[in-house]
Amino acid sequence: MKSVLITIVLAPLVAAAIAGLFGRRIGRAGAHWITILGVGLSCVLSAWVLTGLLTGSLSEFNETIYVWGISDGLRMEVGFLVDRLSAMMMVVVTFVSLMVHIYTIGYMHDDPGYQRFFSYISLFTFSMLMLVMANNFLQLFFGWEAVGLVSYLLIGFWYKKPTAIHANLKAFLVNRVGDFGFILGIAGVVYFAGSLDYAEVFARSNLIAEGTISPWGDTVWSAATVVCLLLFVGAMGKSAQVPLHVWLPDSMEGPTPISALIHAATMVTAGIFMVARMSPLFELSETALSVVLIIGATTAFFMGLLGLVQNDIKRVVAYSTLSQLGYMTVALGVSAYAAGIFHLMTHAFFKALLFLAAGSVIIALHHEQDMRKMGGLRKYMPITYWTALLGSLALIGFPGFAGFFSKDAIIEAVHASTIPGSGYAYWCVLLGVFVTSLYTFRMIFLVFHGEERMTPEAKAHVHECPLVVTGPLILLAIPSVVIGWLTVESMLFGGYFGNAIVVDPTRDVLAEVGSHGTSAGAFLAHGVTGWPVILSLLAIVVAWFVYLKRPEIADRAASGLSAVYRTLVNKFYFDDFNEKVLAPGARNLGKGLWRVGDEILIDGMLVNGSARTVGWFASVVRHLQTGYLYHYAFAMIIGLALMLGWLLLRS
């Protein structure tokens, strides 16, 4: 099994190296074929591993592949932990990545950086696989930083575009904030548990639970709370939780295929996966779980509101990602880790589908992204329309679709929870259902229905995209519809994750959710009459009436609620605060450290000051070297006299 796992990881890396280093020699066709074959091989082998784990023909794998350093007993290793949790992630990552690779052939066919793009997305896949397959914190951090680096390259892929340069720099800097907290959390783990290996750390979790930190005076903090919060800061950056969410909407400046890959299966899901993997640690601190819950709920509702005022089709889908990541985080906060990972899986399929469908529309309209310049595309692009509709129904949690099972499970889990902040979180996720459905079908109605608002040039050339674009849409639409039916019982109530996820029995909210029935049918029967479904259907009706029948209502609402509208358009002023307060403050701090610390202290006092001191001392001492013999003899006589006097005094 070891050789299979190594092949899964290295196949995308080798393909990325060939496409990147020898792209000109192998040409465009060579670049896409080699990377598709590499990722395809990883996908097939990942599916084989998952099947083997489910059937029992393969056992859980946890071994060291390579030891590259030992320092004071601390082992730094490359190793794999492949259980049902990581195997499921491997399948999701490689399958979505494969669909994106195929789709890219059509989307990027005229781009001069064709080979480079394929190299980057294949490297992205390798980085995410290293992250989810890691069995130790050091390798986890490597994959963590690698996905951040490649995302920087991909968001700024069109490096001659100023907005793309600003967006990738923004993503890089915001993630560095989160990563600083993350590495401090890892340092805390090493300090208290004395190991980087997951199994050893979890076995010694009592040392973290009993540990304390005294930052000043008599103040005592729980080590478990501090370590978990620091780890979660890393997750806030990667998985774009308030207030470290600001980079994600701007990542739309990259090509659409990478938007799908970042938002669906890589990078943003890394934080969710990490917290679920660290469940034995997070269960040690209710305070940390409450913080996770409140931040997730805030993200789920308030970031969803921003989707209502977006006119760029990709940004609508981007804000839906922020909101859905909030739902996953909420699940983690109430210890419903299985529900969070379940939603991560279902979300990967329908979110990739929606991004790729948006890209299909953009291709057809010659890179037009403003929904106000679309409309009536249903008859021109039937495949794109129907697949986008299926993805939208999955996103809003329409009964029977994939998103229904995972989202309803999260809402019910929050309702059953009693930890601090659960009441606030419940109302956020419940109202978030209405908001999600409203902005989703606003997009569907503005893009595919109603009057045609396209320019004459665009209308003359609009048509359905070729199979290389629509094929991945169809393949992603299938799991968006059926995956919930196939997996809800085993993942949520059947012990699918085994020992990979640990939950304190006193906080096992999914057990209470399962009391209404654990089968897909029972889940559907219970949830179809619940408030989430009612609110979702109501929002569809509202969207139809406001944006198709009476569009003037939306304009009147925007003018009548101008203060609210301006707040939403300005994204709650997070960007303004960062650019006008934090960024200047950081720059001024840097200037102060440069002028005071570098110029005055280091250069002025230490370097130049020491040189001046030595020069002054030398200028004084050199007067003793006169060159006259009688001066030296006189000095010797005085020295002998002083020495004799000192000896007489001692006696």
Side-chain angles (χ1 to χ4, degrees), residues 1 46-60 84:
M1 188 176 178
S46 297
W48 178 79
V49 170
L50 178 59
T51 304
L53 291 173
L54 293 176
T55 59
S57 60
L58 295 176
S59 57
E60 180 181 308
R84 291 185 177 184

Side-chain angles (χ1 to χ4, degrees), residues 359-548:
S360 178
V361 171
I362 293 169
I363 294 172
L365 297 179
H366 298 278
H367 295 276
E368 177 60 67
Q369 296 182 198
D370 193 333
M371 296 188 299
R372 294 169 296 184
K373 299 179 182 178
M374 300 179 187
L377 291 177
R378 178 180 57 170
K379 62 182 178 183
Y380 300 104
M381 308 178 70
I383 298 176
T384 300
Y385 167 70
W386 284 108
T387 53
L389 181 61
L390 293 175
S392 299
L393 291 171
L395 171 62
I396 69 171
F398 192 83
F401 286 75
F404 164 78
F405 296 101
S406 55
K407 188 180 288 186
D408 201 59
I410 292 172
I411 296 171
E412 290 293 320
V414 176
H415 188 57
S417 177
T418 57
I419 75 166
S422 57
Y424 165 76
Y426 178 69
W427 283 106
C428 282
V429 295
L430 191 60
L431 295 174
V433 171
F434 180 86
V435 174
T436 300
S437 188
L438 185 59
Y439 67 65
T440 301
F441 273 85
R442 170 180 177 261
M443 176 185 70
I444 291 293
F445 292 142
L446 288 179
V447 174
F448 296 103
H449 293 266
E451 63 180 79
E452 299 174 1
R453 299 176 300 277
M454 300 168 282
T455 62
E457 294 80 9
K459 187 176 180 180
H461 297 94
V462 65
H463 58 84
E464 186 64 271
C465 292
L467 183 62
V468 74
V469 172
T470 56
L473 299 182
I474 297 169
L475 292 175
L476 286 166
I478 295 170
S480 299
V481 177
V482 304
I483 196 69
W485 290 93
L486 302 176
T487 57
V488 60
E489 185 170 9
S490 61
M491 278 201 174
L492 295 185
F493 314 109
Y496 169 88
F497 296 108
N499 297 324
I501 289 175
V502 175
V503 180
D504 188 323
T506 61
R507 288 196 286 266
D508 191 2
V509 290
L510 285 180
E512 185 172 341
V513 174
S515 64
H516 304 295
T518 60
S519 67
F523 212 82
L524 181 64
H526 175 73
V528 74
T529 57
W531 276 110
V533 173
I534 294 172
L535 289 172
S536 182
L537 296 177
L538 178 62
I540 295 175
V541 175
V542 172
W544 170 80
F545 184 75
V546 172
Y547 297 108
L548 282 185

